[in-house]
Amino acid sequence: MSRYIFVTGGVCSSLGKGVAASSIANLLEGHGLSVHMVKIDPYINVDAGTMNPYQHGEVYVTDDGAETDLDLGNYSRFTDSPLSRDNSITTGQVYQEVIRQEREGRFLGRTVQVIPHITDEIKRRILKIGERPGVDVTIVEIGGTVGDIESIPFLEAARQFIHDPGKPNVLYIHLTLVPTVSMGELKTKPTQHSVKGLQELGIQPDILLCRAEVPLNDGLKKKISLFTNVEEDAVISAYNVKTTTYEIPVLFHGQGIDKIIIKKMGLDPESRNKKIKEWEKTINGYIASEKKVRIGIVGKYLELHDAYKSIFEALQHAGIALQRRVELVKFDSEKIETDSDRISGQVDGVLVPGGFGERGIEGMIRAAQFARTKGIPYFGICLGLQIMVIEFARHVLGLTEANSTEFAPHGCDPVVSLLEEQENVKVMGASMRLGSSPSFLKEGTRIKEVYRVPVIHERHRHRYEVSNRYRGPLEQGGLVMSGTTDNGELVESVEWKDHPWGIGVQFHPEFKSKPTAPHPLFKNFVEVCFRHA
Ligand code: GLN
């Protein structure tokens, strides 16, 4: 039977609950335990797919095509937990299901209420993960902050686990903030209040993770322990790390959090955590590396780091493997529309990530042209591939009006356009080409050399495709169609001939990269950028 760990957050958002939950899972896996992860998002959207990146950061896509919260990306990078649609729960999904059952008449004349009907549906979804064969621990991260109206039903469902399966099979971990005020003094009051909020809902945390700029001293830990009824050694200091969030499992392990969990939950791990030493060595090598490689990111959601989270992480994974520090140089695509030479001399390679809508497109096209003509490595992901195709059609084939029908619905050369089946799609939710599917790589291409296998499986999230009407002319002009779907029907990747590195992919390789297993495309791109530097 699985044990259940609930991770809640207090005081304010963006304290790194996802990374904290992932780091704990990473440590338990190091002890040979099988850990599965669940993310709860208390918003009413059914999934993250319809949200602007500024609202909620990137949308993370699973193999089975679910559009989920970016924390699933953290789980995928720190752990081996299998992730699918079921690992992401939202208020929207829960209510949609309960209302569907009510309309079917399944409640037999009873009043349908938050407790027990909504909470039962929440528990059913959590148990569906925990009851998968062989799961030792299910970690459930509850999004939002204790005190939010939206998260109350989820916290109530979490509380009910005290009755069934009961202690020691359930454990509560609360992440809170210990802010610094003037003169560098750390303040515990917000933490005291936040724990009180949780206690009012009937949950006594077993472990506290205290986010602070600097380590907490023993006096502060003692004080927090006294006010919150959490044992002193279970007050963990989650202070700011220097270089990368991948240091956090090491930081937690140093304070014995894995031992505390194992003891409190009566777990019987196979091994002492030996993996953590290897993890630590890998990460320390990266921290110590001095040589830098500068990657220019040309996008439009750059003010929010989380909007391109998995891409930035995948670049870092390449850096970890190559022991080179990856420096991100961000270019707002709208600003370089008239001046792509601004990129010149500042970067060793250019990456154009995914995106939607017309804003900033011309700047991305300028950046691609600049990289192609100046022989600078270029990596185009999803929209970044479509940009490569538009740029090539305009400047090599001379189709000056070439565009995607996404940006110019009635343009005269739609080199990127909708598939017929997409033309009739009217609803926005979950209606794109989503999830993992095979791509077939052409012999003799750069991408085939990088992957070293003829068939790859990567995840998609897009609506538009390279138009088959223009494939012939593009190829004749010298744009290599290096990968396609099974029957050659759709273009999956393109590349520039006779260029140091110019690859565009219609899929999202960044979702499958891990710090301990960098994605081959990112690794090869960063390696070439470094040589080019
Ligand atoms: N907007 C483009 C499309 O829908 C690209 C999507 C993306 O970059 N994820 O096809």
Side-chain angles (χ1 to χ4, degrees):
M1 195 192 78
S2 172
R3 316 285 213 277
Y4 293 87
I5 298 178
F6 290 92
V7 180
T8 56
V11 184
C12 64
S13 61
S14 303
L15 293 181
K17 221 180 322 144
V19 169
S22 307
S23 298
I24 290 164
N26 173 294
L27 292 175
L28 295 178
E29 280 184 352
H31 286 274
L33 296 162
S34 154
V35 184
H36 285 220
M37 311 280 296
V38 180
K39 174 72 197 283
I40 288 176
D41 280 295
Y43 47 66
I44 294 170
N45 304 59
V46 171
D47 61 36
T50 52
M51 272 186 264
N52 183 311
Y54 280 133
Q55 292 281 309
H56 223 261
E58 83 172 2
V59 173
Y60 183 81
V61 181
T62 56
D63 272 341
D64 63 349
E67 297 173 277
T68 70
D69 183 74
L70 55 77
D71 271 323
L72 270 82
N74 285 320
Y75 305 162
S76 140
R77 292 183 280 272
F78 282 79
T79 81
D80 293 326
S81 166
L83 296 169
S84 67
R85 186 171 301 281
D86 291 344
N87 297 73
S88 165
I89 303 175
T90 67
T91 296
Q93 290 166 24
V94 171
Y95 273 81
Q96 199 177 42
E97 176 57 21
V98 173
I99 292 170
R100 189 190 65 76
Q101 291 181 16
E102 187 276 333
R103 292 289 83 187
E104 270 184 9
R106 296 261 289 274
F107 295 103
L108 303 170
R110 273 172 288 148
T111 311
V112 183
Q113 293 179 300
V114 173
I115 303 170
H117 302 103
I118 294 294
T119 44
D120 280 355
E121 177 59 20
I122 295 168
K123 284 195 289 181
R124 187 187 70 77
R125 285 171 182 254
I126 294 170
L127 293 170
K128 194 171 165 193
I129 300 293
E131 286 167 0
R132 285 174 180 172
V135 182
D136 295 314
V137 180
T138 306
I139 299 185
V140 184
E141 180 195 343
I142 304 183
T145 307
V146 169
D148 293 347
I149 291 174
E150 292 95 333
S151 51
I152 290 174
F154 295 104
L155 293 167
E156 169 57 17
R159 185 198 65 78
Q160 291 179 15
F161 275 70
I162 298 172
H163 296 275
D164 185 16
K167 292 270 176 186
N169 298 318
V170 57
L171 188 98
Y172 300 94
I173 300 181
H174 187 60
L175 176 79
T176 154
L177 178 68
V178 181
T180 310
V181 291
S182 60
M183 314 300 286
E185 200 187 340
L186 291 170
K187 290 295 190 187
T188 66
K189 194 76 81 187
T191 294
Q192 297 176 33
H193 282 294
S194 158
V195 173
K196 208 174 271 171
L198 204 52
Q199 288 165 339
E200 276 168 16
L201 296 167
I203 295 175
Q204 168 60 46
D206 300 283
I207 295 175
L208 287 182
L209 305 173
C210 301
R211 288 284 293 114
E213 279 175 31
V214 292
L216 303 186
N217 61 32
D218 288 347
L220 276 177
K221 285 191 178 183
K222 205 179 193 131
K223 186 172 174 190
I224 292 171
S225 165
L226 177 71
F227 280 103
T228 58
N229 292 338
V230 175
E231 288 161 20
E232 211 175 304
D233 67 348
V235 177
I236 307 291
S237 177
Y239 51 88
N240 286 358
V241 287
K242 279 198 283 298
T243 313
T244 157
T245 52
Y246 300 121
E247 295 171 56
I248 292 170
V250 182
L251 185 157
F252 284 178
H253 179 72
Q255 295 177 66
I257 195 169
D258 35 347
K259 263 205 238 140
I260 297 171
I261 295 172
I262 286 166
K263 192 164 154 235
K264 281 189 188 291
M265 301 194 91
L267 285 158
D268 186 16
E270 268 168 32
S271 58
R272 306 243 312 277
N273 195 339
K274 287 197 199 111
K275 256 166 82 178
I276 189 74
K277 284 271 162 278
E278 282 163 43
W279 179 280
E280 189 173 5
K281 210 170 124 207
T282 313
I283 304 304
N284 282 346
Y286 179 65
I287 295 170
S289 58
E290 279 164 9
K291 289 185 180 137
K292 271 196 186 156
V293 53
R294 299 163 308 166
I295 309 291
I297 311 289
V298 181
K300 62 176 176 180
Y301 313 115
L302 290 165
E303 293 93 325
L304 182 72
H305 186 82
D306 277 355
Y308 301 118
K309 177 95 177 143
S310 291
I311 289 183
F312 295 166
E313 293 299 319
L315 287 169
Q316 201 185 126
H317 303 162
I320 290 172
L322 301 163
Q323 304 278 294
R324 309 262 184 260
R325 288 289 275 279
V326 175
E327 192 189 318
L328 303 171
V329 191
K330 298 175 183 176
F331 297 96
D332 181 331
S333 51
E334 271 184 301
K335 295 211 177 103
I336 60 164
E337 263 168 35
T338 47
D339 182 15
S340 60
D341 284 352
R342 273 167 68 168
I343 305 175
S344 186
Q346 288 201 57
V347 299
D348 308 314
V350 172
L351 188 150
V352 176
F356 295 83
E358 197 191 346
R359 188 171 66 80
I361 292 301
E362 294 302 320
M364 296 177 199
I365 294 172
R366 291 294 294 264
Q369 181 184 21
F370 176 78
R372 183 177 59 77
T373 53
K374 301 274 194 297
I376 294 169
Y378 174 97
F379 192 2
I381 295 180
C382 206
L383 176 64
L385 168 143
Q386 299 172 359
I387 293 293
M388 257 174 112
V389 171
I390 298 169
E391 188 280 322
F392 198 87
R394 285 190 191 175
H395 304 125
V396 180
L397 303 188
L399 307 173
T400 50
E401 302 279 296
N403 216 327
S404 162
T405 54
E406 182 179 4
F407 319 126
H410 308 293
C412 56
D413 281 306
V415 290
V416 176
S417 61
L418 279 185
L419 277 185
E420 237 170 74
E421 63 201 50
Q422 279 284 344
E423 272 169 13
N424 301 320
V425 170
K426 296 277 180 292
V427 293
M428 294 304 278
S431 61
M432 283 188 253
R433 179 171 176 225
L434 288 168
S436 181
S437 58
S439 308
F440 294 75
L441 306 180
K442 203 159 150 189
E443 212 45 65
T445 58
R446 185 74 187 237
I447 196 168
K448 166 80 201 320
E449 224 175 87
V450 174
Y451 274 99
R452 298 205 187 138
V453 288
V455 188
I456 57 166
H457 292 81
E458 297 282 9
R459 299 176 201 165
H460 297 74
R461 182 172 185 257
H462 64 110
R463 225 180 273 283
Y464 295 82
E465 306 278 352
V466 176
S467 162
N468 284 337
R469 268 180 46 215
Y470 289 88
R471 249 163 88 175
L474 287 163
E475 272 182 300
Q476 277 151 26
L479 186 66
V480 182
M481 305 289 153
S482 54
T484 61
T485 50
D486 190 4
N487 42 17
E489 198 187 336
L490 302 176
V491 174
E492 293 278 50
S493 63
V494 303
E495 56 192 59
W496 292 324
K497 238 188 230 160
D498 308 321
H499 186 277
W501 210 96
I503 293 184
V505 292
Q506 191 60 81
F507 43 79
H508 291 273
E510 68 272 22
F511 292 143
K512 284 170 75 168
S513 187
K514 286 173 187 274
T516 46
H519 191 286
L521 271 176
F522 280 89
K523 189 172 160 203
N524 194 248
F525 171 63
V526 172
E527 202 170 0
V528 172
C529 290
F530 185 70
R531 267 194 262 127
H532 187 264

